């Protein structure tokens, strides 16, 4: 179990890094005194075993915690067997290479409902993830798959769906994207609503679930259909100070990954805001 400490970092390489590679990103994060980075494999896993070993060494040397975001092109609800298998393979490769980098959490966008009912989509996603977690266990790959709460209503990934998968399948935990949850319905943007979300997580996954969370926070633009794009925290109506107050209230541990367009600036703003709450 990860230590019950909250780490702040970026989704990918900070914009102020000297080079456009993961090791440069890790070095820059340590200079900024940030503590974690999500490796963005979103366009495909383009790192080999040797590269992963170098990333692991750099991260361990600088005490930077890593996670991975699996490729975007995944739909575990695809009616086409070939597309389903390709989706599973992309997640598998993200987990295999990610674990060689020292990343334990593999974030993924699980599925689209398309023409399926929500119940049928859930069944298909659950079956695919059971196969994947079984394969990872059999191969001794230490990775937790984290379906993300999604920002568009056409996407599988409500809080209830990702929590249900987490209780049903060993090796699955949620990735809570609070900005997505806000954008999906235009709600989930007050202290009481954030507290209700975290209470639901605690009820479902226990204190252990709260001690090792993976969270995404950014500003967000949305309309009646949900998420449109990420914004900086200050440009958005997302109530990040009250979210951080709720997170502190629950004494949550894990990673806070900032997906804002100004990655490191907003990650530092999140950490500063969090540290200013002095709760009894």
């Amino acid at each position: 179990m990860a230590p019950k400490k909250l780490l702040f970092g970026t989704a990918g390489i900070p914009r102020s890094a000297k080079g456009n590679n993961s090791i440069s990103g890790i070095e820059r994060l340590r200079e900024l005194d940030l503590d974690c980075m999500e490796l963005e494999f979103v366009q495909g896993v383009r790192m080999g075993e040797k590269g992963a070993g170098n990333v692991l060494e750099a991260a361990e040397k600088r005490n930077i915690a890593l996670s991975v975001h699996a490729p975007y092109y995944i739909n575990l609800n695809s009616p086409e067997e070939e597309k389903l298998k390709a989706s599973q393979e992309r997640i598998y490769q993200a987990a295999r290479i990610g674990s060689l980098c020292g990343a334990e959490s593999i974030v993924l966008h699980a599925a689209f409902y398309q023409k399926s009912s929500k119940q049928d989509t859930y069944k298909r996603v659950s079956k695919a993830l059971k196969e994947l977690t079984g394969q990872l266990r059999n191969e001794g790959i230490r990775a937790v798959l984290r379906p993300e709460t999604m920002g568009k209503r056409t996407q599988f990934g409500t809080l209830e769906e990702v929590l249900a998968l987490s209780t049903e399948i060993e090796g699955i935990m949620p990735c809570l994207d609070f900005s997505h949850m806000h954008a999906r319905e235009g709600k989930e943007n007050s202290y009481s609503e954030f507290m209700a979300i975290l209470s639901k997580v605690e009820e479902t996954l226990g204190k252990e679930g709260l001690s090792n969370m993976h969270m995404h926070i950014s500003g967000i633009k949305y309309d009646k259909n949900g998420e449109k794009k990420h914004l900086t925290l200050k440009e958005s109506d997302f109530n990040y100070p009250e979210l951080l107050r709720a997170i502190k209230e629950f004494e949550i541990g894990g990673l806070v990954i900032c997906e804002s367009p100004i990655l490191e600036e907003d990650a530092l703003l999140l950490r500063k805001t969090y540290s200013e709450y002095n709760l009894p």
Side-chain angles (χ1 to χ4, degrees), residues 144-147 162 166 169 171-175 205 208-210 212:
V144 175
L145 301 182
R146 289 186 179 264
V162 299
S166 303
I169 307 169
I172 299 288
M173 289 285 278
C175 169
L205 303 177
E208 298 78 17
L210 294 179
N212 184 17

